[in-house]
Amino acid sequence: MDHSPASAGALDAGAIPNTGAVETRGIEPVLEHERHGRARELFPTWVAANISVLLLTMGAGLVVFNGLSLWQVLLVGVCAAVVSYGMVGLVSIAGKWGGAPGLMLSRATFGVRGNYFPGAILWVARFGWETINAVTGAYALLTVLDLLFGIGSSTPLIVVTLFSFVACTFLVSGMGRKVLAVCNTWSTYLFGAFSVLVLGYLVAHVQWGEVFSRPAGSTSLLIAGIGTIAAGGISWVPSGPDFTRYLPGRTSGRAIVGTTVSGAAVVVVPMVLMGAVMAAVTPDLASAPDPVSFLGDVLPTWLAVPYLITALVGMLLINSLSMYSAGFTAQTMGVRLPRSLAVSINAVISLVGGLVLMLVAKSFLSSFITFLTLLAVSFSAWIGVFGVDMMRRRGRAVRYHAEALTDTGRGSRYWYAGGFCPQAMAAWLLALGAGLCFTRTDWFAGPLADSWIGRNGLGWAATILIAALLFAVLPTPREALRPADADVDVEAV
């Protein structure tokens, strides 16, 4: 088999157990004898992935902009968590099948070269998500400084706080999965405890008659709200296998999906609801110049400060998890650096993008909603194609071939035609284009944005469906018809 220089010896490197505190493994598959743990260990990961005060702002937006009632907001939160993180959980199963990161497994779907195209879009979208979180973290730190010491925001302080947040994110993400797992567990406990205190305060001080008396909003705005909240979860779908590749192949797929959904829902649903309740107290919450300072108006200082600090840690971990996955994406895209150093690319871009958003952009929330809308469509095209490819592999004895995943030469099993899987690329491109046609943002409107799908914000769902149907009806790729014993399976080594 023809191995490229970048992949030569990857399997040998992967055979060395990664037992230190700092993870040194890159994108090479994890062999079965190195795998350990249980699905329940994913719970704190997906709790930590959602510890963001942005959910409060988005929950408030469902009331202020969408005009939804509290019960409708509850429905939105539940549906968004189940749908988006259900997809995260299902795609995460591929991680225990192949022992490799999501964008590495994607080579088997799109081809060695074809994978660069969806990978590039997902990588760019990841930059945007990390920038949004970095800005939110910086605003949280600015709010704490204002509440405790009366220090007002200024351009030099914005630069310092944003740089500090990104630097801490870079350090934690560079340490790897073991450090992240410990941080996620403790942040789950702390944030959960303070969230209970905030909930108790709201129960005691909010005028509940006014909250429950709000009329219900339209069905179309309710459906659109589900898509908005779900977009955050959809962005994690390609990263799901990154956190399950160390699980044994025998791990229950149902347990992976159940733990993923429950870990996310236990944060998403109450946070969105609390944001809706806070909107009744502070109606201009959703249109605040930044997504954090409102907490100083809604909560007393003794509660707002520790809550913001724990949320700050949570947002740092969200970005650390994102950068952890982005390091794999960079390596898959051909960046010849160790994962911990590849993460630095995302850190620099987050810093520059964050400064633009904090110092130049006129409206944080408007920019954020536009980003979420485009984010959901860009990730959905990949989800539809990869999901069908997973279904085709389900009954195979050998699902992903370790050598082929690391081999970028012409002899690779996943070379297809010139390094591209034509069927996957066609389905992905057409679905992505169709999804954009249904999309409307502040600065862009597709030709079908006024259709029923467009008005209800279902461009992301249409994109997944179109990608899946096209790839399913196109001729099955040649690789899927090859005998299973033609290569070595990662679980059989």
PDB file of all heavy atoms in Angstrom, residues 248-283:
ATOM      1  N   PRO A 248     -14.387   1.381  24.210  1.00  0.00           N
ATOM      2  CA  PRO A 248     -14.272   0.044  23.604  1.00  0.00           C
ATOM      3  C   PRO A 248     -15.335  -0.164  22.535  1.00  0.00           C
ATOM      4  O   PRO A 248     -16.431   0.421  22.606  1.00  0.00           O
ATOM      5  CB  PRO A 248     -14.488  -0.901  24.791  1.00  0.00           C
ATOM      6  CG  PRO A 248     -14.165  -0.077  26.002  1.00  0.00           C
ATOM      7  CD  PRO A 248     -14.579   1.321  25.668  1.00  0.00           C
ATOM      8  N   GLY A 249     -15.039  -0.994  21.548  1.00  0.00           N
ATOM      9  CA  GLY A 249     -15.980  -1.263  20.478  1.00  0.00           C
ATOM     10  C   GLY A 249     -17.277  -1.877  20.960  1.00  0.00           C
ATOM     11  O   GLY A 249     -18.314  -1.777  20.299  1.00  0.00           O
ATOM     12  N   ARG A 250     -17.268  -2.541  22.116  1.00  0.00           N
ATOM     13  CA  ARG A 250     -18.474  -3.183  22.649  1.00  0.00           C
ATOM     14  C   ARG A 250     -19.419  -2.203  23.347  1.00  0.00           C
ATOM     15  O   ARG A 250     -20.512  -2.597  23.776  1.00  0.00           O
ATOM     16  CB  ARG A 250     -18.076  -4.275  23.634  1.00  0.00           C
ATOM     17  CG  ARG A 250     -17.342  -3.755  24.869  1.00  0.00           C
ATOM     18  CD  ARG A 250     -16.958  -4.861  25.835  1.00  0.00           C
ATOM     19  NE  ARG A 250     -16.274  -4.332  27.017  1.00  0.00           N
ATOM     20  CZ  ARG A 250     -14.989  -4.047  27.079  1.00  0.00           C
ATOM     21  NH1 ARG A 250     -14.231  -4.244  26.015  1.00  0.00           N
ATOM     22  NH2 ARG A 250     -14.443  -3.565  28.189  1.00  0.00           N
ATOM     23  N   THR A 251     -19.019  -0.953  23.506  1.00  0.00           N
ATOM     24  CA  THR A 251     -19.849   0.028  24.203  1.00  0.00           C
ATOM     25  C   THR A 251     -21.197   0.171  23.509  1.00  0.00           C
ATOM     26  O   THR A 251     -21.287   0.232  22.282  1.00  0.00           O
ATOM     27  CB  THR A 251     -19.155   1.400  24.234  1.00  0.00           C
ATOM     28  OG1 THR A 251     -17.854   1.258  24.803  1.00  0.00           O
ATOM     29  CG2 THR A 251     -19.955   2.402  25.060  1.00  0.00           C
ATOM     30  N   SER A 252     -22.259   0.222  24.290  1.00  0.00           N
ATOM     31  CA  SER A 252     -23.610   0.314  23.751  1.00  0.00           C
ATOM     32  C   SER A 252     -23.835   1.627  23.011  1.00  0.00           C
ATOM     33  O   SER A 252     -23.580   2.713  23.545  1.00  0.00           O
ATOM     34  CB  SER A 252     -24.626   0.191  24.890  1.00  0.00           C
ATOM     35  OG  SER A 252     -25.926   0.563  24.462  1.00  0.00           O
ATOM     36  N   GLY A 253     -24.320   1.525  21.776  1.00  0.00           N
ATOM     37  CA  GLY A 253     -24.649   2.717  21.012  1.00  0.00           C
ATOM     38  C   GLY A 253     -25.796   3.487  21.647  1.00  0.00           C
ATOM     39  O   GLY A 253     -25.814   4.721  21.650  1.00  0.00           O
ATOM     40  N   ARG A 254     -26.767   2.762  22.181  1.00  0.00           N
ATOM     41  CA  ARG A 254     -27.896   3.417  22.845  1.00  0.00           C
ATOM     42  C   ARG A 254     -27.424   4.210  24.054  1.00  0.00           C
ATOM     43  O   ARG A 254     -27.926   5.307  24.323  1.00  0.00           O
ATOM     44  CB  ARG A 254     -28.926   2.377  23.279  1.00  0.00           C
ATOM     45  CG  ARG A 254     -29.689   1.728  22.121  1.00  0.00           C
ATOM     46  CD  ARG A 254     -30.753   0.786  22.636  1.00  0.00           C
ATOM     47  NE  ARG A 254     -31.487   0.165  21.537  1.00  0.00           N
ATOM     48  CZ  ARG A 254     -32.482  -0.700  21.699  1.00  0.00           C
ATOM     49  NH1 ARG A 254     -32.858  -1.040  22.940  1.00  0.00           N
ATOM     50  NH2 ARG A 254     -33.098  -1.211  20.650  1.00  0.00           N
ATOM     51  N   ALA A 255     -26.467   3.656  24.776  1.00  0.00           N
ATOM     52  CA  ALA A 255     -25.939   4.359  25.948  1.00  0.00           C
ATOM     53  C   ALA A 255     -25.216   5.638  25.535  1.00  0.00           C
ATOM     54  O   ALA A 255     -25.318   6.667  26.214  1.00  0.00           O
ATOM     55  CB  ALA A 255     -24.995   3.449  26.719  1.00  0.00           C
ATOM     56  N   ILE A 256     -24.501   5.591  24.419  1.00  0.00           N
ATOM     57  CA  ILE A 256     -23.801   6.776  23.925  1.00  0.00           C
ATOM     58  C   ILE A 256     -24.807   7.875  23.582  1.00  0.00           C
ATOM     59  O   ILE A 256     -24.657   9.036  23.979  1.00  0.00           O
ATOM     60  CB  ILE A 256     -22.941   6.433  22.698  1.00  0.00           C
ATOM     61  CG1 ILE A 256     -21.743   5.567  23.115  1.00  0.00           C
ATOM     62  CG2 ILE A 256     -22.463   7.694  21.990  1.00  0.00           C
ATOM     63  CD1 ILE A 256     -20.900   5.067  21.950  1.00  0.00           C
ATOM     64  N   VAL A 257     -25.858   7.512  22.853  1.00  0.00           N
ATOM     65  CA  VAL A 257     -26.876   8.496  22.463  1.00  0.00           C
ATOM     66  C   VAL A 257     -27.602   9.032  23.694  1.00  0.00           C
ATOM     67  O   VAL A 257     -27.784  10.250  23.859  1.00  0.00           O
ATOM     68  CB  VAL A 257     -27.889   7.881  21.480  1.00  0.00           C
ATOM     69  CG1 VAL A 257     -29.004   8.880  21.166  1.00  0.00           C
ATOM     70  CG2 VAL A 257     -27.191   7.457  20.194  1.00  0.00           C
ATOM     71  N   GLY A 258     -28.012   8.131  24.601  1.00  0.00           N
ATOM     72  CA  GLY A 258     -28.750   8.545  25.789  1.00  0.00           C
ATOM     73  C   GLY A 258     -27.947   9.464  26.687  1.00  0.00           C
ATOM     74  O   GLY A 258     -28.464  10.478  27.191  1.00  0.00           O
ATOM     75  N   THR A 259     -26.666   9.137  26.885  1.00  0.00           N
ATOM     76  CA  THR A 259     -25.808   9.967  27.737  1.00  0.00           C
ATOM     77  C   THR A 259     -25.557  11.330  27.102  1.00  0.00           C
ATOM     78  O   THR A 259     -25.543  12.353  27.796  1.00  0.00           O
ATOM     79  CB  THR A 259     -24.467   9.252  27.989  1.00  0.00           C
ATOM     80  OG1 THR A 259     -24.704   7.973  28.562  1.00  0.00           O
ATOM     81  CG2 THR A 259     -23.597  10.070  28.935  1.00  0.00           C
ATOM     82  N   THR A 260     -25.370  11.350  25.803  1.00  0.00           N
ATOM     83  CA  THR A 260     -25.137  12.612  25.099  1.00  0.00           C
ATOM     84  C   THR A 260     -26.338  13.540  25.204  1.00  0.00           C
ATOM     85  O   THR A 260     -26.208  14.723  25.542  1.00  0.00           O
ATOM     86  CB  THR A 260     -24.811  12.345  23.618  1.00  0.00           C
ATOM     87  OG1 THR A 260     -23.648  11.513  23.526  1.00  0.00           O
ATOM     88  CG2 THR A 260     -24.557  13.632  22.870  1.00  0.00           C
ATOM     89  N   VAL A 261     -27.522  12.996  24.924  1.00  0.00           N
ATOM     90  CA  VAL A 261     -28.748  13.813  24.970  1.00  0.00           C
ATOM     91  C   VAL A 261     -29.032  14.290  26.385  1.00  0.00           C
ATOM     92  O   VAL A 261     -29.332  15.468  26.615  1.00  0.00           O
ATOM     93  CB  VAL A 261     -29.944  13.021  24.412  1.00  0.00           C
ATOM     94  CG1 VAL A 261     -31.249  13.798  24.641  1.00  0.00           C
ATOM     95  CG2 VAL A 261     -29.758  12.740  22.931  1.00  0.00           C
ATOM     96  N   SER A 262     -28.926  13.396  27.364  1.00  0.00           N
ATOM     97  CA  SER A 262     -29.243  13.776  28.744  1.00  0.00           C
ATOM     98  C   SER A 262     -28.240  14.792  29.282  1.00  0.00           C
ATOM     99  O   SER A 262     -28.609  15.729  29.996  1.00  0.00           O
ATOM    100  CB  SER A 262     -29.276  12.541  29.645  1.00  0.00           C
ATOM    101  OG  SER A 262     -28.028  11.850  29.633  1.00  0.00           O
ATOM    102  N   GLY A 263     -26.951  14.636  28.950  1.00  0.00           N
ATOM    103  CA  GLY A 263     -25.940  15.580  29.409  1.00  0.00           C
ATOM    104  C   GLY A 263     -26.186  16.980  28.875  1.00  0.00           C
ATOM    105  O   GLY A 263     -26.031  17.977  29.595  1.00  0.00           O
ATOM    106  N   ALA A 264     -26.598  17.077  27.602  1.00  0.00           N
ATOM    107  CA  ALA A 264     -26.884  18.380  27.016  1.00  0.00           C
ATOM    108  C   ALA A 264     -28.201  18.945  27.533  1.00  0.00           C
ATOM    109  O   ALA A 264     -28.288  20.120  27.897  1.00  0.00           O
ATOM    110  CB  ALA A 264     -26.924  18.269  25.491  1.00  0.00           C
ATOM    111  N   ALA A 265     -29.237  18.111  27.580  1.00  0.00           N
ATOM    112  CA  ALA A 265     -30.572  18.584  27.951  1.00  0.00           C
ATOM    113  C   ALA A 265     -30.627  19.105  29.373  1.00  0.00           C
ATOM    114  O   ALA A 265     -31.380  20.043  29.668  1.00  0.00           O
ATOM    115  CB  ALA A 265     -31.596  17.464  27.772  1.00  0.00           C
ATOM    116  N   VAL A 266     -29.841  18.512  30.286  1.00  0.00           N
ATOM    117  CA  VAL A 266     -29.877  18.929  31.683  1.00  0.00           C
ATOM    118  C   VAL A 266     -29.382  20.372  31.856  1.00  0.00           C
ATOM    119  O   VAL A 266     -29.648  21.011  32.872  1.00  0.00           O
ATOM    120  CB  VAL A 266     -29.042  17.962  32.556  1.00  0.00           C
ATOM    121  CG1 VAL A 266     -27.549  18.227  32.409  1.00  0.00           C
ATOM    122  CG2 VAL A 266     -29.464  18.032  34.010  1.00  0.00           C
ATOM    123  N   VAL A 267     -28.693  20.898  30.837  1.00  0.00           N
ATOM    124  CA  VAL A 267     -28.254  22.298  30.860  1.00  0.00           C
ATOM    125  C   VAL A 267     -29.103  23.151  29.926  1.00  0.00           C
ATOM    126  O   VAL A 267     -29.579  24.224  30.298  1.00  0.00           O
ATOM    127  CB  VAL A 267     -26.768  22.422  30.455  1.00  0.00           C
ATOM    128  CG1 VAL A 267     -26.334  23.878  30.459  1.00  0.00           C
ATOM    129  CG2 VAL A 267     -25.892  21.624  31.396  1.00  0.00           C
ATOM    130  N   VAL A 268     -29.304  22.689  28.703  1.00  0.00           N
ATOM    131  CA  VAL A 268     -29.992  23.491  27.689  1.00  0.00           C
ATOM    132  C   VAL A 268     -31.401  23.880  28.127  1.00  0.00           C
ATOM    133  O   VAL A 268     -31.787  25.060  28.062  1.00  0.00           O
ATOM    134  CB  VAL A 268     -30.046  22.735  26.350  1.00  0.00           C
ATOM    135  CG1 VAL A 268     -30.938  23.478  25.351  1.00  0.00           C
ATOM    136  CG2 VAL A 268     -28.644  22.564  25.774  1.00  0.00           C
ATOM    137  N   VAL A 269     -32.184  22.904  28.572  1.00  0.00           N
ATOM    138  CA  VAL A 269     -33.594  23.176  28.887  1.00  0.00           C
ATOM    139  C   VAL A 269     -33.754  24.189  30.023  1.00  0.00           C
ATOM    140  O   VAL A 269     -34.438  25.212  29.859  1.00  0.00           O
ATOM    141  CB  VAL A 269     -34.346  21.865  29.194  1.00  0.00           C
ATOM    142  CG1 VAL A 269     -35.790  22.166  29.617  1.00  0.00           C
ATOM    143  CG2 VAL A 269     -34.335  20.952  27.969  1.00  0.00           C
ATOM    144  N   PRO A 270     -33.130  23.978  31.197  1.00  0.00           N
ATOM    145  CA  PRO A 270     -33.309  24.977  32.263  1.00  0.00           C
ATOM    146  C   PRO A 270     -32.695  26.332  31.944  1.00  0.00           C
ATOM    147  O   PRO A 270     -33.225  27.371  32.345  1.00  0.00           O
ATOM    148  CB  PRO A 270     -32.616  24.332  33.475  1.00  0.00           C
ATOM    149  CG  PRO A 270     -31.725  23.287  32.937  1.00  0.00           C
ATOM    150  CD  PRO A 270     -32.374  22.810  31.682  1.00  0.00           C
ATOM    151  N   MET A 271     -31.567  26.364  31.211  1.00  0.00           N
ATOM    152  CA  MET A 271     -30.946  27.646  30.874  1.00  0.00           C
ATOM    153  C   MET A 271     -31.845  28.464  29.947  1.00  0.00           C
ATOM    154  O   MET A 271     -32.017  29.675  30.128  1.00  0.00           O
ATOM    155  CB  MET A 271     -29.582  27.411  30.218  1.00  0.00           C
ATOM    156  CG  MET A 271     -28.506  26.910  31.159  1.00  0.00           C
ATOM    157  SD  MET A 271     -27.797  28.228  32.173  1.00  0.00           S
ATOM    158  CE  MET A 271     -26.731  29.040  30.994  1.00  0.00           C
ATOM    159  N   VAL A 272     -32.419  27.813  28.949  1.00  0.00           N
ATOM    160  CA  VAL A 272     -33.313  28.508  28.030  1.00  0.00           C
ATOM    161  C   VAL A 272     -34.548  29.003  28.778  1.00  0.00           C
ATOM    162  O   VAL A 272     -35.023  30.131  28.561  1.00  0.00           O
ATOM    163  CB  VAL A 272     -33.708  27.582  26.859  1.00  0.00           C
ATOM    164  CG1 VAL A 272     -34.840  28.189  26.042  1.00  0.00           C
ATOM    165  CG2 VAL A 272     -32.501  27.334  25.954  1.00  0.00           C
ATOM    166  N   LEU A 273     -35.067  28.176  29.680  1.00  0.00           N
ATOM    167  CA  LEU A 273     -36.231  28.578  30.473  1.00  0.00           C
ATOM    168  C   LEU A 273     -35.901  29.754  31.382  1.00  0.00           C
ATOM    169  O   LEU A 273     -36.691  30.699  31.517  1.00  0.00           O
ATOM    170  CB  LEU A 273     -36.726  27.399  31.310  1.00  0.00           C
ATOM    171  CG  LEU A 273     -37.701  26.428  30.635  1.00  0.00           C
ATOM    172  CD1 LEU A 273     -38.020  25.277  31.576  1.00  0.00           C
ATOM    173  CD2 LEU A 273     -38.975  27.151  30.216  1.00  0.00           C
ATOM    174  N   MET A 274     -34.748  29.718  32.031  1.00  0.00           N
ATOM    175  CA  MET A 274     -34.363  30.824  32.904  1.00  0.00           C
ATOM    176  C   MET A 274     -34.213  32.118  32.108  1.00  0.00           C
ATOM    177  O   MET A 274     -34.574  33.199  32.585  1.00  0.00           O
ATOM    178  CB  MET A 274     -33.065  30.500  33.651  1.00  0.00           C
ATOM    179  CG  MET A 274     -33.248  29.514  34.798  1.00  0.00           C
ATOM    180  SD  MET A 274     -31.839  29.458  35.951  1.00  0.00           S
ATOM    181  CE  MET A 274     -30.565  28.765  34.914  1.00  0.00           C
ATOM    182  N   GLY A 275     -33.699  32.016  30.896  1.00  0.00           N
ATOM    183  CA  GLY A 275     -33.592  33.205  30.060  1.00  0.00           C
ATOM    184  C   GLY A 275     -34.955  33.788  29.735  1.00  0.00           C
ATOM    185  O   GLY A 275     -35.142  35.010  29.735  1.00  0.00           O
ATOM    186  N   ALA A 276     -35.928  32.894  29.484  1.00  0.00           N
ATOM    187  CA  ALA A 276     -37.284  33.350  29.197  1.00  0.00           C
ATOM    188  C   ALA A 276     -37.896  34.042  30.407  1.00  0.00           C
ATOM    189  O   ALA A 276     -38.580  35.063  30.277  1.00  0.00           O
ATOM    190  CB  ALA A 276     -38.143  32.166  28.764  1.00  0.00           C
ATOM    191  N   VAL A 277     -37.652  33.485  31.592  1.00  0.00           N
ATOM    192  CA  VAL A 277     -38.184  34.087  32.821  1.00  0.00           C
ATOM    193  C   VAL A 277     -37.514  35.437  33.079  1.00  0.00           C
ATOM    194  O   VAL A 277     -38.165  36.414  33.454  1.00  0.00           O
ATOM    195  CB  VAL A 277     -37.970  33.140  34.023  1.00  0.00           C
ATOM    196  CG1 VAL A 277     -38.325  33.835  35.327  1.00  0.00           C
ATOM    197  CG2 VAL A 277     -38.803  31.875  33.854  1.00  0.00           C
ATOM    198  N   MET A 278     -36.202  35.512  32.885  1.00  0.00           N
ATOM    199  CA  MET A 278     -35.487  36.770  33.083  1.00  0.00           C
ATOM    200  C   MET A 278     -35.994  37.855  32.141  1.00  0.00           C
ATOM    201  O   MET A 278     -35.981  39.047  32.474  1.00  0.00           O
ATOM    202  CB  MET A 278     -33.988  36.562  32.879  1.00  0.00           C
ATOM    203  CG  MET A 278     -33.316  35.760  33.982  1.00  0.00           C
ATOM    204  SD  MET A 278     -31.553  35.505  33.646  1.00  0.00           S
ATOM    205  CE  MET A 278     -31.065  34.558  35.094  1.00  0.00           C
ATOM    206  N   ALA A 279     -36.441  37.468  30.952  1.00  0.00           N
ATOM    207  CA  ALA A 279     -36.944  38.445  29.992  1.00  0.00           C
ATOM    208  C   ALA A 279     -38.186  39.148  30.516  1.00  0.00           C
ATOM    209  O   ALA A 279     -38.461  40.293  30.158  1.00  0.00           O
ATOM    210  CB  ALA A 279     -37.255  37.762  28.662  1.00  0.00           C
ATOM    211  N   ALA A 280     -38.940  38.447  31.375  1.00  0.00           N
ATOM    212  CA  ALA A 280     -40.125  39.066  31.977  1.00  0.00           C
ATOM    213  C   ALA A 280     -39.718  40.151  32.966  1.00  0.00           C
ATOM    214  O   ALA A 280     -40.430  41.136  33.164  1.00  0.00           O
ATOM    215  CB  ALA A 280     -40.972  38.001  32.674  1.00  0.00           C
ATOM    216  N   VAL A 281     -38.551  39.978  33.601  1.00  0.00           N
ATOM    217  CA  VAL A 281     -38.049  40.964  34.562  1.00  0.00           C
ATOM    218  C   VAL A 281     -37.361  42.113  33.845  1.00  0.00           C
ATOM    219  O   VAL A 281     -37.525  43.283  34.198  1.00  0.00           O
ATOM    220  CB  VAL A 281     -37.062  40.292  35.551  1.00  0.00           C
ATOM    221  CG1 VAL A 281     -36.520  41.308  36.541  1.00  0.00           C
ATOM    222  CG2 VAL A 281     -37.758  39.143  36.276  1.00  0.00           C
ATOM    223  N   THR A 282     -36.559  41.764  32.821  1.00  0.00           N
ATOM    224  CA  THR A 282     -35.806  42.762  32.054  1.00  0.00           C
ATOM    225  C   THR A 282     -36.131  42.595  30.571  1.00  0.00           C
ATOM    226  O   THR A 282     -35.454  41.850  29.858  1.00  0.00           O
ATOM    227  CB  THR A 282     -34.290  42.587  32.279  1.00  0.00           C
ATOM    228  OG1 THR A 282     -34.033  42.508  33.684  1.00  0.00           O
ATOM    229  CG2 THR A 282     -33.499  43.734  31.683  1.00  0.00           C
ATOM    230  N   PRO A 283     -37.197  43.247  30.073  1.00  0.00           N
ATOM    231  CA  PRO A 283     -37.641  43.050  28.689  1.00  0.00           C
ATOM    232  C   PRO A 283     -36.581  43.354  27.629  1.00  0.00           C
ATOM    233  O   PRO A 283     -36.615  42.788  26.539  1.00  0.00           O
ATOM    234  CB  PRO A 283     -38.831  44.009  28.565  1.00  0.00           C
ATOM    235  CG  PRO A 283     -39.318  44.193  29.959  1.00  0.00           C
ATOM    236  CD  PRO A 283     -38.088  44.155  30.813  1.00  0.00           C
TER     237      PRO A 283
END
